[in-house]
């Protein structure tokens, strides 16, 4: 349901800012960039109209009261164009996490870059590459799912992404196909001369019944310029299918990152998402997972490591729509400097979804007296035979634990680094791909070293 807000000067300003993107949309359509099938063009038009009505959210809205996006609304972001991929070819490999033995599709400013990608060793029938190409040569593959899952009503950033949908990533795994090696979607932001740019990366992941796959979705920048990434990922997991996904956000600390992930599962399917947040000055990620088949299982985990004035906001919904489903959710946050972490997690059990088993935990470690964490776990239960729990903790590092390690010969800095690493490793240990876990471990240790703690 769309949040209703009383008119205020700030609300008027945010609506006025939205009108600039309506104008940009008309130019986008007029120059032929939206030469897509009629059904998708109609959906784009509907989306931009919704965005114009909603405007940018304000802190007077309940879902946004801890996250202020005025900086995004006030900036003059131009739609990022395609760039010459050869200009960044030499630096791409440093952003590929998880080792070299994987299938990699690279997107620059939201556009597929085949010359930077490695997608030629896939099993028969598997697609990994351009969503735009699929719209041209096999539209029936994507039409049932594209722009069908990501919520739009009340979610302005998702509507804006849909309005400017032009290319993106497609992962398609046919029935009973097992993809042994991970498939990596690497979204890079490259600077645009003379302007600050926004890109709207789109990803559609479809795993048909009985299939199995792992997908890595990562976001980074070729330098430290200011930009805005506004991403949407839609995930469909078929009956008896299994999909493990990993999302690594290490954007420039001058950047803004907004994202929506929406998944739906069929009977007896297994889906997991582990999200890591290291970058951007402000990030917001809305995750909505629907267990829509009896016997399905879903795990949503996350780790945020922020410092200075970084801000991260996770809003998650685990929706049990059918009986006999299990879900688990574990989010840890490590906040230093004047950083701030927000976690809002809802578990919804629909009428008839009996025998639901769901657990949600959010733990936050504050390394500075100026750091802050806001946690809002929620349960909405409309069935009577369920087992649901939630809990949250936040606070500074335990002085007794520090004293114990110091008494064993460690310096205070070493003890602090070790305890912080142990807190983060609770999420790292859930990563099933050994090479990816090793690379993420390296990223965590590098972050600790940058903060002045020994690695």
């Amino acid at each position: 349901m769309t949040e209703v807000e009383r008119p205020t000067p700030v609300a008027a300003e945010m609506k006025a800012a939205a009108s600039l993107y309506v104008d940009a949309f008309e130019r986008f359509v007029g120059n032929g960039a939206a030469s897509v099938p009629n059904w998708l063009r109609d959906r784009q038009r509907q989306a931009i109209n919704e965005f114009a009505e909603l405007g940018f959210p304000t802190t007077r809205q309940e879902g946004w009261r801890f996250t202020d996006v005025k900086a995004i609304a006030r900036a003059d972001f131009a739609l990022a164009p395609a760039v010459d991929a050869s200009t960044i070819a030499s630096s791409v490999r440093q952003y590929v996490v998880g080792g070299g033995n994987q299938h990699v599709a690279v997107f620059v400013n939201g556009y597929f870059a085949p010359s930077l990608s490695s997608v030629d060793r896939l099993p028969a029938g598997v697609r990994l590459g351009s969503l735009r190409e699929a719209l041209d040569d096999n539209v029936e593959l994507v039409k049932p799912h594209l722009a069908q899952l990501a919520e739009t009503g009340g979610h302005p950033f998702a509507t804006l992404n849909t309005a400017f949908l032009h290319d993106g990533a497609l992962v398609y795994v046919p029935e009973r196909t097992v993809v042994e090696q991970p498939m990596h979607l690497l979204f890079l932001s490259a600077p645009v001369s003379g302007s600050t740019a926004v890109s709207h990366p789109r990803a559609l992941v479809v795993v048909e019944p009985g299939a199995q796959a792992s997908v890595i979705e990562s976001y980074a920048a070729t330098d430290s310029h200011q930009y805005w990434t506004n991403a949407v990922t839609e995930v469909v997991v078929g009956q008896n299918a299994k999909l493990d996904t990993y999302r690594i956000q290490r954007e420039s600390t001058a950047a803004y990152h907004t994202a929506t992930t929406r998944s739906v599962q069929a009977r007896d399917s297994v889906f997991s998402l582990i999200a890591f947040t290291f970058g951007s000055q402000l990030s917001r990620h809305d995750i909505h997972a629907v267990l829509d088949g009896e016997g399905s299982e879903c795990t949503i985990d996350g780790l945020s490591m922020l410092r200075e004035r970084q801000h991260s906001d996770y809003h998650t919904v685990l929706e049990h729509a059918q009986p006999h489903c299990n879900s688990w959710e574990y989010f840890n946050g490590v906040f230093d400097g004047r950083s701030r972490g927000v976690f809002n997690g809802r578990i919804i059990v629909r009428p008839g979804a009996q025998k639901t088993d769901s657990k949600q935990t959010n733990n936050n470690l504050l390394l500075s007296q100026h750091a802050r964490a806001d946690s809002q776990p929620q349960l909405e239960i409309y069935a009577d035979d369920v087992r649901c729990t939630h809990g949250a903790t936040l606070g500074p590092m335990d002085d007794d634990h520090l004293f114990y390690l110091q008494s064993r010969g460690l310096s205070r800095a070493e003890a602090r680094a070790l305890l912080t690493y142990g807190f983060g490793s609770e999420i790292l240990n859930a990563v099933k791909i050994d090479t990816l876990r090793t690379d993420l471990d390296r990223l965590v240790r590098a972050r600790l070293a940058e903060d002045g703690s020994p690695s």
Side-chain angles (χ1 to χ4, degrees), residues 52 108 128 135 145 157 175 186 208 272 284 287 327 348 354 367 412 443:
V108 183
L128 170 63
L135 286 170
H145 312 296
F157 293 114
E175 279 191 61
L186 174 57
E208 297 284 14
S272 70
R284 163 72 177 240
I287 303 171
S327 70
I348 302 175
Q354 306 293 359
L367 299 181
R412 186 174 180 84
L443 287 174

Side-chain angles (χ1 to χ4, degrees), residues 7-309:
T8 65
V10 171
E13 177 190 1
M14 301 297 250
K15 280 234 180 172
S19 68
L20 299 177
Y21 291 87
V22 176
D23 295 340
F25 174 79
E26 297 301 338
R27 294 192 296 272
F28 171 73
V29 173
N31 67 18
S35 56
V36 296
N38 289 337
W39 61 269
L40 184 53
R41 185 180 299 110
D42 292 343
R43 187 68 192 89
Q44 290 177 304
R45 177 65 64 180
Q46 178 186 352
I48 197 64
N49 289 340
E50 290 180 11
F51 179 71
E53 177 63 26
L54 291 167
F56 283 96
T58 77
T59 54
R60 292 175 63 88
Q61 296 168 259
E62 178 61 28
W64 292 88
R65 64 192 183 100
F66 295 126
T67 298
D68 190 345
V69 297
K70 285 199 296 289
I72 296 177
R74 289 172 175 171
D76 185 16
F77 288 108
L79 188 63
V83 300
D84 182 358
S86 65
T87 62
I88 62 171
S90 61
S91 63
V92 167
R93 284 295 143 187
Q94 66 180 295
Y95 302 108
V96 178
V97 291
N101 192 20
Q102 56 181 303
H103 313 286
V104 182
V106 180
F107 302 80
V108 183
N109 291 350
Y111 293 87
F112 181 52
S115 64
L116 305 179
S117 303
S118 176
V119 295
D120 55 353
R121 298 177 291 107
L122 292 163
V126 176
R127 292 192 64 150
L128 170 63
S130 170
L131 186 57
R132 175 75 239 190
E133 289 179 8
L135 286 170
D136 290 336
D137 63 34
N138 195 346
V139 68
E140 294 306 317
L141 190 68
V142 300
K143 184 178 179 180
H145 312 296
L146 183 63
Q148 302 298 317
L149 299 180
E151 281 190 337
T152 52
H155 290 73
F157 293 114
T159 66
L160 194 61
N161 179 288
T162 296
F164 286 97
L165 200 162
H166 53 81
D167 197 358
L170 172 65
V171 177
Y172 175 79
V173 185
E175 279 191 61
R176 294 185 294 278
T177 299
V178 177
V179 184
E180 298 288 352
Q181 301 302 327
M183 291 179 283
H184 190 160
L185 308 177
L186 174 57
F187 294 97
L188 288 175
S189 292
V192 178
S193 178
S195 67
T196 52
V198 55
S199 64
H200 302 280
R202 188 78 176 212
L204 174 63
V205 181
V206 180
V207 181
E208 297 284 14
Q212 296 183 31
S214 298
V215 174
I216 302 168
E217 182 183 347
S218 60
Y219 296 83
T222 57
D223 65 17
S224 59
H225 65 289
Q226 186 181 69
Y227 60 92
W228 173 24
T229 298
N230 179 42
V232 167
T233 301
E234 296 173 296
V235 179
V236 181
V237 188
Q239 183 172 334
N240 290 306
K242 182 178 180 181
L243 175 64
D244 295 322
T245 62
Y246 305 91
R247 192 180 195 279
I248 301 100
Q249 190 272 94
R250 47 177 178 153
E251 305 263 30
S252 160
T253 52
Y256 304 95
H257 185 95
T258 52
T260 299
T261 299
R262 183 72 184 262
S263 64
V264 62
Q265 296 176 240
R267 183 184 182 96
D268 296 323
S269 62
V270 178
F271 171 63
S272 70
L273 166 64
I274 307 181
F276 295 89
T277 296
F278 302 110
S280 77
Q281 61 174 297
L282 184 151
S283 67
R284 163 72 177 240
H285 190 185
D286 292 336
I287 303 171
H288 191 148
V290 181
L291 292 84
D292 201 30
E294 188 171 348
S296 57
E297 295 185 353
C298 179
T299 303
I300 308 292
D301 294 341
L303 173 64
S304 298
M305 297 191 72
L306 307 184
R307 57 186 176 177
E308 297 174 352
R309 293 184 178 273

Side-chain angles (χ1 to χ4, degrees), residues 307-328:
R307 57 186 176 177
E308 297 174 352
R309 293 184 178 273
Q310 286 183 282
H311 181 109
S312 173
D313 183 346
Y314 276 105
H315 268 59
T316 70
V317 178
L318 281 167
E319 181 177 348
H320 288 255
Q322 299 294 332
H324 297 279
C325 295
N326 301 325
S327 70
W328 302 270

Side-chain angles (χ1 to χ4, degrees), residues 377-388:
Q378 303 173 46
L379 298 177
E380 295 181 25
I381 301 174
Y382 305 99
D384 55 14
D385 188 4
V386 303
R387 182 169 60 182
C388 297

